[in-house]
Amino acid sequence: MNIQTIRNVSDCVPLYLPHSLYLKPIAKINISVSLPPAVVGKNISNWDVMEKLRSMIEPETFSILKVSKSTLEFIRLEAEVEDRAKLKNVVARIDGRMIKLANFTEHVRVRASEAKEDFPTRHDWDTFFRDARNMDEMKAGERPDTIHISNLPITWFCPRHMENADHPKPSENIFKRIFEKFGEVRCVDIPICDPYRTKMKSHLTGAQTFSFDNEVYFEG
């Protein structure tokens, strides 16, 4: 799980104040760097590319900058900035710019754009379940009103007095109160709260989420 320290909280929106939970808008950027023809004996440093990108947006900074794919023809990177209001300005500073890499005489071009959201629209959601041939609405987890949430700290969903316990358990009631902000929560399945889950046959268990992290990260 990727945990970041947030310095700018000006655009945070309250989610559940009793547990000090807030939502912060995501500001992602896709970056692509076209590389010069490969030359024997010369290597391209991903770190050098990232340092040049960082210098191009100063005084702004990336909260995340990582290589997602690297080939002989291009380097593809994913980046995030902490303040969404500055996203367009950061993209404008690097999109279409040329940079010079160490050990190469040619300059290479950088392309950048705001990343599309990873989440489906309401139309995408409805279309997927309408057209899916291998989904059975009678089975748990295969209905369009079912979502799977994972890799969040369990303590976010625990009663306050249990947050520092050795083996805290999430509360279904607290979970419901948090997510009822988006609509009625009719049913919740939290495997770690079910003492019989590990003894059930696989076709009856529903969510199967047992791992060494199941006492640290929420799954439901």
Side-chain angles (χ1 to χ4, degrees):
M1 182 176 66
N2 182 22
I3 298 177
Q4 301 177 47
T5 300
I6 301 298
R7 295 181 295 273
N8 179 4
V9 297
S10 60
D11 56 352
C12 289
V13 178
L15 174 62
Y16 188 65
L17 291 179
H19 273 53
S20 302
L21 297 179
Y22 294 81
L23 297 176
K24 183 172 176 64
I26 296 174
K28 288 186 176 182
I29 304 171
N30 288 331
I31 303 172
S32 180
V33 180
S34 300
L35 300 179
V39 178
V40 176
K42 291 185 178 182
N43 295 319
I44 295 174
S45 167
N46 290 343
W47 181 257
D48 181 36
V49 173
M50 291 192 290
E51 284 300 297
K52 283 184 166 53
L53 291 172
R54 290 189 179 100
S55 66
M56 290 167 68
I57 69 167
E58 291 178 347
E60 309 303 339
T61 59
F62 294 115
S63 56
I64 291 179
L65 180 61
K66 61 183 180 180
V67 174
S68 59
K69 186 174 183 179
S70 180
T71 71
L72 295 176
E73 290 79 29
F74 64 85
I75 299 175
R76 190 169 295 156
L77 305 99
E78 297 175 356
E80 288 187 29
V81 292
E82 194 168 290
D83 189 348
R84 186 170 179 80
K86 298 178 180 179
L87 178 63
K88 291 184 178 180
N89 181 40
V90 170
V91 170
R93 291 187 185 188
I94 56 181
D95 184 39
R97 294 276 301 277
M98 305 291 288
I99 60 174
K100 186 178 183 304
L101 303 178
N103 302 322
F104 287 87
T105 57
E106 306 99 320
H107 286 68
V108 298
R109 185 176 300 278
V110 179
R111 300 311 305 258
S113 62
E114 179 180 352
K116 294 182 179 179
E117 293 185 355
D118 298 330
F119 309 103
T121 63
R122 176 60 183 269
H123 174 74
D124 294 334
W125 186 273
D126 292 340
T127 300
F128 173 82
F129 285 97
R130 184 192 66 217
D131 298 339
R133 302 302 181 198
N134 59 339
M135 306 291 282
D136 184 351
E137 291 192 6
M138 299 303 293
K139 293 182 179 180
E142 297 189 11
R143 290 186 289 270
D145 61 352
T146 303
I147 60 173
H148 176 209
I149 297 174
S150 63
N151 291 330
L152 298 178
I154 272 184
T155 52
W156 288 6
F157 307 100
C158 294
R160 282 293 198 183
H161 68 278
M162 293 180 58
E163 288 182 351
N164 297 318
D166 290 337
H167 303 288
K169 291 289 193 298
S171 163
E172 289 190 9
N173 289 332
I174 292 175
F175 179 89
K176 284 185 176 181
R177 287 200 293 270
I178 292 172
F179 286 98
E180 278 177 348
K181 182 182 183 76
F182 306 104
E184 179 188 2
V185 179
R186 289 183 292 179
C187 182
V188 176
D189 178 21
I190 305 177
I192 196 174
C193 293
D194 184 354
Y196 303 104
R197 187 62 59 98
T198 57
K199 302 175 183 178
M200 297 169 64
K201 295 181 179 179
S202 59
H203 68 282
L204 298 174
T205 58
Q208 300 178 40
T209 58
F210 305 104
S211 70
F212 293 110
D213 294 330
N214 67 353
E215 293 186 354
V216 179
Y217 300 132
F218 177 86
E219 191 97 24

